[in-house]
Amino acid sequence: LPGNAAVLLRALTLLALAGVLPIVAAGCDAAETLPAGAPEPAERQELVVAAGADEFMLEAHRERLGIHPLHAGICEPLVRLTHDFRPEPLLATRWEYLGDNTFRFTLRQGVRFHDGQPLNAAAVKHALDRVARTIRHSYLEEESIRIVNDSTVDMRPARPNLRLVEQLVHPIYSIHAPGSDPTTHPVCTGPFRFEQYVRDDRLTVVRNAEYWGEPARLERLTFRFIPDENTRALALRSAEADVIFDVNRSMVASLEAARGLRVEAAPPGAVMLMYLNIQGSATHDLLSERAVRRAVALALDRRALVERLLEGHAALVHTVNPPEVLGEYARLVEGIPHDPEEARRILEEAGWRLEGSNVRRREGRSLSLTLIPQPGSIDPAVTQYVQAQLAQVGIQVRIEQFDPGAFTSRLNSGQFDLDIELPNQNDANPAFLLSLRWYPPANVRSAVFMAPGPHYDALVERALGATDHEEARQRAAEAMHLLLDREVAAIPLAGIYRIYALKEWVQGFDPHPSRANQGWASVWVAR
Amino acid sequence: VAAHYIGWRVLSLLPVWLGISLLAFSLANLAPGDPAQMILLRQTGELPSEDAVQRLREQLGLDDPFPVRYGRWLADAARGDLGTSFRTGEPVLGALLERFPATLQLAVAGLLIGLLIGIPLGVISATRRDSALDHASRVGVLLGASLPNFWLGYLLILLFGVGLGWLPVAGWGTWQHLVLPALTLGVGGAASLTRLTRSMVLEELGADYVRTARAKGLPERVVVVRHALRNALNPIVTLTGMRFGGLLAGAVVVETVFAWPGIGKFLVDSIYDRDYPTIQGFVLFTGTVFVLLNLLVDLGYAWLDPRVRLAGRGGADGGR
C-alpha cells in the first residue's frame, strides 16, 4: 500500500479494533433480557415493575436481598404493619408481654419454608440471631431470643424496649430458612419464591404454590432497577414495565391522560418536616426564641403548599408522622394556623422591626435564617416556597444545598436554622421519630440542637414505657403536642403521597403507606 | 529507540501517579461529612447514635492521623489492594473492574459513533464550504453540541423505545441495549469532531502543499483524503483521546438515564456517601487510565506521523 493509505488504514484498524471488540464481547456475555417491544402472551400472570436504583448491592442491604428497601414478597416477619400503622399477626399468631422486658410469641402452625423446612422456634431463633449479628442497628441481640417450645419463643431485648412488637413489623426482621444464604438466594415463607437477581438490573420472583395463606395470583413478578424517574415513566409507556414506583407529581397529569395507564397514590407514609434549631450556638441561635419560632409557623400557608404547590398530591397534617400512627389521639395535636398578621405582631412585640427594610432587625442583627434541605428528598420548589412565605413577614431565608455527606455534617454541627427532611414511618411505633430526633438520650448528634427539654423527654419516656399500643399512641400524641404546639421545635409541612403508575389491566394493587411493606400477592393481570 | 521512549514515558508516570494518589486521598478526606455516619444512616434511614458512629469510625480506622492513613492506603495500593468499599463491602479494585467493562463498552461505542459521523461530515463540510450541506452540518453541530445528554437520551427513548418499539428503553446485556446510550453519547462527540475536522481540513486545504498536489493533477479525492486529512489527523487524535478518557471517567448522566450499570453512577453514589476507599480508588484508577491513554495518544502520533518519530530521534524539526 502507498504510505498515506497505510497510515489511514492503520488509524481505522485501531479504531475498529477498539470499537468492535468490546461490543462483540458484550454480545457474547449477554444476559437474558426482555426483547424490546415484545408483546406479552395474553392472560399470562406476569408483571414487570420498574423500581428505582438497586440498593441490594450495598453492604447495608446485602442481607436483605428481596426484603428491604424493595420488598418482593419472598420473606415475612412475625408481625406485619397494617395500613393504619398497627402490628397484626403474620408468622406469629399472637404475642403477649410477660413483664421484665420480655415478650412471648406463638408461631403459626403448618407453615413451611420454600425449601420444605417447617417454621418452628429454632428457625425463628436462627433467623433473628442472624439479624442481630448482621444489622448494626437491630433492636435485638443474639441473647434476646429464647426457645420456649417448638412453637413459642420469648424475646428480651438487652435494653428496656416495650415497643419491640411495633418495631418487628419491619421487613428486616423477616424469618429466613435455617441453612439458607439471604445474601444470594433468600429462602423464606412468603407468597413468592426467589428466582433470580442480576445486580443493577433485575430481581425476579415466582409464585409459591405451597404458600400457607392465600397464594399469590401472579406467576412471575420481575422488578427492574431503573434509577431515573423519567426513564421509568417511558418504560411504562413502552412494553417494558407494567407498574412504576415513585412517580414525580409533575408527571401525574400526563400519565393519567395516557391511554391504558392509571395512577394510584398511597396514603402518606412520610411527613415533610421542618426541623428548627432551637438550641443553636452564636450564629444559629435566632430560633432559640420561641416567639420567632411561632412566627415562622404562623407565616407558612401549608394548605396552599399542599393544594397548589404540591398539586394535591399530599395531605395537610399536623403531626410529625402520618396521623394514623397516633390513631384517634392525633386530635391532641392541634397544629398552628396560617396567620401572617399574627406572625408580624409577634415579631414586632419581640422587638424585630422592619425599619424601612424588607428584613426585620433587632439590635443591629438581621432576622436571617439558614435553611438546609435534605438532598434528594425535598423539591427545590418547597424550599423556595418557604423562603417566599417567610419573606412576607420580614424573615429572610438563605437556602444552602449540600450533597448527603455535607448535609449530615452541617446537621451534626448545628450549622443551620431550618432543616427540611422527609422521614418515613416504616413501623408501628408511635414514638419512633419522637425518640430519635428530639430526644438527646438517643444520642443522635443533631438531637441536642432540636431538643425541647426534660419535660418532653419525660413524655417520650412514658410513650416508650407504655405496655399497651393504644397507651403508647396517647403518650406519643402528648409529647407531640408539646413539641409542635407549645415548643414549635418542628413544623409539619405536608404528608406526602407515594405515587405509582400502572397499566390499566393491572388489578388488585393496594398501595401501602409504607413502601417497605408494600405487598404484591393480591395483584393480578386482566388484559 | 521506541522501547527507550516507551520506557522513559512509563517511568515518568510514577511521579504523576503519586501526585494523583495524594490528591485523591486528600480531596476525599477533606470533604465535609462522616462516612461512618453515612453508612449507618443508609442502614436505618435515620440518623444513628453518636456511640454507634464512634464505634464504626474506630472499626474503619478513620480516627488515625492523615499521614498514617495515607501511607497505609498507598502501601496497599502499590500491592494492588485499593481497600474495601464502605458502602458495598466489596474490594474496591474488584468493584471497579466489575463495572468498568460496561463503561468501556459504552465509551467505545459512543466514541466510534462520534468518529464515524464526525470525521466524514467534517471533511465533506470543509470540501463543500458554504454549500447547503455545510450549512446544514453546522446547524447539526450546533444542535449536537448544545443538546444536553439527558434530553437527547429521552428523545431517543421516546422515538425508538416508546414510539417505534425497536429498541429497549433501558437496561443492559444485549447489543440492542447499547444502541441508544451509545448514540446519546456519540452525538456530542460527533459535533465536536465535525467542527474540529472541518476547521483542520480547511486549514490544510489552504496550504501550499495542497496547491502543489492539485497542480500535479492529483484527483481531488486523493488530495483531500491522503494529504489534507492525513495532516489534520493529529489534533483529531488528541481530541479523541481526551474525549475517550472523559467517557471512561464516567458518563454518569447517560448511565443513569439508561440504567446502565457502569462506573459513573457508582462513583457519584460513593461521593455522596463519603465512601473514601472507592473515591480514592476511582480517582487513582481513572487517573492511571488517563495517563496511559495520553501515552497511547502520543505513541499514536508517532505511529501516524513519521515526523514525530524523526523528531524523537532528534533528526527533524517536525515542520513541513
Side-chain angles (χ1 to χ4, degrees), chain B residues 104-128:
Chain B
L104 185 66
Q105 277 175 29
L106 193 57
V108 168
L111 189 75
L112 204 63
I113 288 171
L115 286 168
L116 290 175
I117 297 172
I119 293 181
L121 197 60
V123 171
I124 294 167
S125 215
T127 52
R128 299 183 187 175

Side-chain angles (χ1 to χ4, degrees), chain B residues 14-293:
Chain B
L14 201 61
V16 176
W17 189 81
L18 273 174
I20 291 171
S21 74
L22 184 61
L23 202 67
F25 197 86
S26 311
L27 286 178
N29 284 267
L30 287 175
D34 184 343
Q37 176 134 29
M38 299 308 293
I39 291 169
L40 294 171
L41 179 63
R42 190 174 277 285
Q43 279 200 344
T44 60
E46 266 303 328
L47 289 170
S49 76
E50 185 63 10
D51 298 341
V53 172
Q54 191 49 41
R55 274 198 303 275
L56 188 56
R57 283 189 65 80
E58 284 165 17
Q59 195 183 322
L60 297 173
L62 291 167
D63 287 333
D64 294 336
F66 180 89
V68 172
R69 281 183 290 137
Y70 175 62
R72 195 167 52 208
W73 175 70
L74 196 62
D76 288 344
R79 290 195 301 270
D81 176 8
L82 294 178
T84 303
S85 163
F86 293 163
R87 289 174 70 237
T88 67
E90 303 168 274
V92 170
L93 187 62
L96 292 174
L97 290 175
E98 197 172 335
R99 288 162 180 83
F100 190 64
T103 296
L104 185 66
Q105 277 175 29
L106 193 57
V108 168
L111 189 75
L112 204 63
I113 288 171
L115 286 168
L116 290 175
I117 297 172
I119 293 181
L121 197 60
V123 171
I124 294 167
S125 215
T127 52
R128 299 183 187 175
R129 191 180 183 179
D130 292 332
S131 66
L133 190 72
D134 182 31
H135 289 308
S137 92
R138 285 160 75 180
V139 171
V141 162
L142 193 67
L143 275 176
S146 46
L147 266 181
N149 264 345
F150 71 91
W151 178 249
L152 180 64
Y154 293 142
L155 288 182
L156 291 174
I157 292 174
L158 205 55
L159 178 62
F160 295 104
V162 179
L164 300 170
W166 291 351
L167 292 164
V169 167
W172 182 72
T174 66
W175 69 266
Q176 290 101 322
H177 285 98
L178 183 61
V179 176
L180 293 184
L183 200 58
T184 306
L185 276 182
V187 165
S192 37
L193 275 169
T194 304
R195 197 161 44 189
L196 182 69
T197 307
R198 181 181 180 276
S199 70
M200 294 312 300
V201 170
L202 270 178
E203 193 181 315
E204 295 299 331
L205 287 176
D208 289 345
Y209 73 93
V210 169
R211 196 161 51 240
T212 307
R214 283 176 176 150
K216 280 163 62 181
L218 287 176
E220 187 62 14
R221 187 180 54 81
V222 174
V223 171
V224 171
V225 176
R226 289 193 188 168
H227 293 271
L229 179 59
R230 181 194 171 190
N231 281 309
L233 272 181
N234 274 4
I236 294 169
V237 170
T238 307
L239 178 71
T240 305
M242 286 171 63
R243 188 161 182 87
F244 190 50
L247 293 177
L248 287 178
V252 61
V253 174
V254 174
E255 286 181 3
T256 305
V257 166
F258 290 96
W260 191 264
I263 219 163
K265 190 172 180 308
F266 181 64
L267 172 72
V268 171
D269 290 341
S270 299
I271 294 171
Y272 282 170
D273 284 357
R274 300 296 184 267
D275 184 358
Y276 294 164
T278 303
I279 302 168
Q280 291 154 192
F282 175 85
V283 175
L284 193 64
F285 180 80
T286 47
T288 307
V289 170
F290 255 94
V291 169
L292 289 175
L293 267 176

Side-chain angles (χ1 to χ4, degrees), chain A residues 400-477:
Chain A
E400 295 189 9
Q401 304 259 16
F402 298 101
D403 74 359
F407 169 78
T408 48
S409 171
R410 288 290 293 255
L411 200 61
N412 288 335
S413 58
Q415 299 296 302
F416 70 99
D417 297 299
L418 303 167
D419 153 36
I420 304 183
E421 297 185 34
L422 187 62
N424 285 296
Q425 175 85 28
N426 287 323
D427 69 17
N429 175 9
F432 154 64
L433 209 56
L434 298 173
S435 61
L436 191 71
R437 299 304 299 271
W438 299 277
Y439 181 63
N443 208 9
V444 169
R445 216 182 297 178
S446 62
V448 297
F449 303 110
M450 302 168 178
H455 186 196
Y456 170 81
D457 294 351
L459 287 174
V460 168
E461 278 152 19
R462 286 175 69 191
L464 292 173
T467 50
D468 170 64
H469 183 63
E470 287 306 307
E471 187 193 348
R473 283 177 149 180
Q474 184 180 352
R475 302 296 173 222

Side-chain angles (χ1 to χ4, degrees), chain A residues 330-411:
Chain A
R331 63 182 159 73
L332 297 180
V333 186
E334 295 155 7
I336 295 176
H338 174 227
D339 190 346
E341 274 312 312
E342 176 67 3
R344 290 187 194 98
R345 193 195 63 74
I346 289 175
L347 291 171
E348 287 287 333
E349 199 174 279
W352 292 100
R353 303 275 152 70
L354 280 171
E355 295 170 0
S357 154
N358 291 328
V359 181
R360 291 179 186 274
R361 294 177 70 82
R362 188 177 69 188
E363 294 164 9
R365 190 172 181 194
S366 296
L367 189 47
S368 176
L369 305 175
T370 303
L371 166 62
I372 55 170
Q374 181 187 14
S377 299
I378 307 301
D379 187 334
V382 172
T383 53
Q384 288 160 15
Y385 178 82
V386 169
Q387 186 181 45
Q389 291 263 296
L390 297 190
Q392 288 182 8
V393 299
I395 301 174
Q396 185 181 50
V397 172
R398 215 168 44 137
I399 300 167
E400 295 189 9
Q401 304 259 16
F402 298 101
D403 74 359
F407 169 78
T408 48
S409 171
R410 288 290 293 255
L411 200 61

Side-chain angles (χ1 to χ4, degrees), chain A residues 226-240:
Chain A
I226 301 181
D228 185 78
E229 60 188 15
N230 294 304
T231 310
R232 283 200 297 275
L234 291 169
L236 182 69
R237 286 168 179 268
S238 75
E240 289 190 43

